[in-house]
Amino acid sequence: MDRIRIVGGPPLEGTIRISGAKNAALPLMIASLLTSETLTLENVPNLADVGMLLRILGHHGVDHSVDGRKPGAAPEASRPIHLSARRIVDTTAPYELVRKMRASFWVIAPLLARMGEAKVSLPGGCAIGTRPVDLLIMVLEKLGATIEIEAGYVHAFARNGLVGAEITFPKVTVGGTHTALMAASLAKGHTRLVNAAREPEVVDLADCLVKMGARIKGAGQAVVEIEGVASLSGASHTVLSDRIEAGTYALAAAMAGGDVLLDGARADLLQSALDVIEKAGAEISVTNEGVRVRRNGSGIDPVDVTTAPFPGFPTDLQAQLMALMTKAKGTSRITETIFENRFMHVQELARLGARIQLHGDLAVVEGVEELQGAPVMATDLRASVSLVIAALAARGETIVHRVYHLDRGFEHLEQKLSGCGAIVERLSEPA
Ligand code: EPZ
């Protein structure tokens, strides 16, 4: 298995191009199941999760093709993907596929809405918590589906089609909102979502659905109105820039020091995190190209942060912020409210010399003068990258194991960091 070797010390100086958002690309790709016409997506990041989802969609009958590289384009430049679900060949998503990627459970919504039936494996737990799908099932039931749960599968039927309804979410859920947007777009009549997720990735999905002919108003607000249509058409859509990737590199620059331009980053999607990074002592400026992050000379100040649904501080940046706080001049308090088990990075950060105490959903981080490189491994995507951030400012060498977690969500991580002067390399194991 590949590993990543990092030698801490050098500041980050230069430009990092921000990729398309994984968490927007995945639901957008799944939306291709809603139409027999072609959906073209631009700015899809080249990630392991995208490759996995293409295989899962292929199982349901989605053909895909990727445009050839434009003359003169960089080898890593993303290329448009065309997805065509002209004929759905299988409405069952088996355990072997769904267990590899939780988001693939979301295929249940377009399959049910278009075919009147879907059978999808329950995804099971994962490293960051139990992550139930009860609210996604509630959405489908409200829209008139009959649900049977049997032998680890959710079997949903709506032989005469789905019917619009009022759906109030007892808890904000991104996946639940994606599910509702896709299913209600093809339901008969009007659907109203109350307490919907306001994440930018939800807005991106709604924007694409509207291009496909859906009638959606209010995406990005807590109340969303959807008027169902009989069918959706093909469209072309550019995937939103990845706010979590941008926030991760902003935190990396704050940790290592230096001056980095996050090219293509959208400050408006990242305000809560940028405010925190500024409080921690980095200078943030918004330019025409993106967001510039600088920290020269000044130390890192401690901050108190609680994760929350958008526009609050994202849970997907909690581990990375904790890495920064390990070197703050004082004690920080970080509270995780979204997932109950998202502190798997704490033990690994401790291996680098961090002092962190856990009290339920609260982590108390006492900043240390110096971190020291060590071999580490992590259990999920954001936890892994928090170790990379800590390693950038640790004395000596850190080896990060289980790099496949990073490959699920960070495109060209080593190139992006080493392009700014970090000493980062992938150690590939012979196959
Ligand atoms: C999405 O997961 C993201 N994944 C996650 O990113 C992100 O952490 C999360 O939203 C929160 O922002 C993708 O977009 C692919 P939720 P999702 O439904 O939709 C509970 C990353 O690192 N809940 O908003 O699965 C749930 O347990 C990943 O890129 C229920 O109780 O998250 C959690 O406590 C990890 N019942 C809360 O709601 C349900 O039926 C929010 O989860 C559904 C969710």
Side-chain angles (χ1 to χ4, degrees), residues 402-415:
R402 299 200 177 161
V403 167
Y404 58 85
H405 287 299
L406 287 170
D407 293 338
R408 294 188 65 169
F410 288 95
E411 190 179 40
H412 309 302
L413 175 102
E414 311 93 88
Q415 292 90 326

Side-chain angles (χ1 to χ4, degrees), residues 9 30 41 56 83 96 101 153 183 187 195 233 249 254 363 390 393 403 406 425:
I30 289 173
L41 297 175
I56 293 169
L83 298 155
E96 302 79 74
M101 194 178 54
Y153 279 79
N195 198 27
S233 57
Y249 289 122
V403 167
L406 287 170
E425 61 173 337

Side-chain angles (χ1 to χ4, degrees), residues 22-23 103 106 128 131-136 171-175 315-316 338-339 342 382:
K22 166 182 86 82
N23 288 350
W106 301 341
I128 62 174
R131 303 186 73 187
V133 289
D134 56 322
L135 300 176
L136 283 66
K171 183 175 194 174
V172 175
T173 154
V174 172
T315 174
D316 289 348
I338 309 291
F339 292 110
R342 209 173 197 180
R382 312 302 174 185

Side-chain angles (χ1 to χ4, degrees), residues 138-184:
M138 179 222 32
V139 164
L140 302 176
E141 277 181 326
K142 289 262 184 199
L143 294 173
T146 303
I147 305 282
E148 284 168 13
I149 298 181
E150 209 183 26
Y153 279 79
V154 179
H155 201 161
F157 311 84
R159 298 269 187 243
N160 299 317
L162 296 170
V163 182
E166 164 125 1
I167 303 172
T168 301
F169 291 100
K171 183 175 194 174
V172 175
T173 154
V174 172
T177 308
H178 286 325
T179 303
L181 287 173
M182 286 191 270

